[in-house]
Amino acid sequence: MKIIFIFLIFSLATASAQAGLDISAYENLTIVKSPVLTSDGIPVAQNQIILFPSDFPERFQGLEDGKVYAFKSHFEFRAGTYSGYNHWRNELAKLAGYRQSSYIFNGKTELRYDTTVWKLKKGPFWELINFSDAEGVIGPVVCKKIYKDFALYANQARQHAEDDFRESYENWQKAFSMCADNGAIVFH
């Protein structure tokens, strides 16, 4: 009994230490007219997914809710732990030239660049920075706009002091490049 309990605690600790944001980018989506689904509603064929809008339905532009899509190729990467992704997102806002503003978290006030973005309605990377850090879908219309931002700031990103930031920037840029022409990015 004691060994099982210790294993359970270790398993839970390991799972929470690995919690974070994973990204899947799907290229060249086309609606499947007559998809074959399992009894659970999952497409049977390979290279098919079902997409739904999240709490940010305006980011879903160019897609149809609940449709089965076939995709040509996909790319997956780990955006980091939730706190790591939020650090990266704040650094992205800084890179794009946003100013700092106050943010209160757990009773402490800190200055952050992404907080400023959350208060705006547009700007470089706005649709990505002002988006979920856990789950959601960004459709091709918004992917195209964000990809242009990634291309515009690529030289600055290569000069960033943090290796992790540069690596993540390259992964995000690749994902948005793939999805800018009839693709989608899925946060999970």
Side-chain angles (χ1 to χ4, degrees):
M1 182 71 130
K2 188 174 186 180
I3 293 173
I4 294 171
F5 181 69
I6 291 170
F7 175 74
L8 179 60
I9 290 174
F10 176 76
S11 296
L12 291 174
T14 302
S16 66
Q18 296 175 357
L21 178 61
D22 294 308
I23 302 299
S24 297
Y26 298 96
E27 184 175 35
N28 293 335
L29 295 172
T30 55
I31 293 177
V32 178
K33 301 233 186 270
S34 299
V36 177
L37 305 174
T38 66
S39 60
D40 295 330
I42 299 169
V44 172
Q46 289 187 6
N47 291 1
Q48 291 186 0
I49 54 168
I50 300 176
L51 297 173
F52 299 95
S54 64
D55 292 337
F56 296 84
E58 66 282 0
R59 305 294 196 281
F60 200 71
Q61 291 177 337
L63 299 171
E64 293 185 40
D65 184 5
K67 295 289 184 178
V68 175
Y69 286 90
F71 56 91
K72 177 183 172 186
S73 63
H74 75 286
F75 167 62
E76 297 180 355
F77 69 97
R78 177 102 170 155
T81 63
Y82 293 119
S83 62
Y85 173 67
N86 282 307
H87 171 76
W88 181 85
R89 186 167 60 175
N90 187 58
E91 288 294 310
L92 183 65
K94 180 180 177 181
L95 179 85
Y98 292 101
R99 295 182 181 190
Q100 291 180 317
S101 57
S102 297
Y103 178 68
I104 301 171
F105 183 70
N106 288 337
K108 295 180 183 176
T109 301
E110 58 182 279
L111 292 174
R112 295 186 57 90
Y113 298 94
D114 53 2
T115 303
T116 301
V117 178
W118 300 334
K119 297 173 187 175
L120 300 174
K121 298 288 183 208
K122 64 180 181 176
F125 304 106
W126 177 80
E127 298 87 348
L128 176 60
I129 297 168
N130 188 18
F131 191 68
S132 174
D133 63 358
E135 60 184 38
V137 177
I138 299 178
V141 173
V142 176
C143 284
K144 182 178 274 189
K145 188 272 180 196
I146 296 173
Y147 173 65
K148 289 177 183 177
D149 293 339
F150 272 97
L152 183 63
Y153 286 89
N155 287 334
Q156 286 176 257
R158 283 191 280 277
Q159 304 304 313
H160 196 279
E162 297 174 11
D163 291 340
D164 288 343
F165 179 87
R166 293 190 307 272
E167 182 180 337
S168 278
Y169 192 96
E170 289 174 10
N171 284 333
W172 282 105
Q173 186 171 4
K174 177 180 178 178
F176 278 105
S177 172
M178 289 175 65
C179 299
D181 186 22
N182 216 29
I185 293 183
V186 178
F187 289 50
H188 50 98

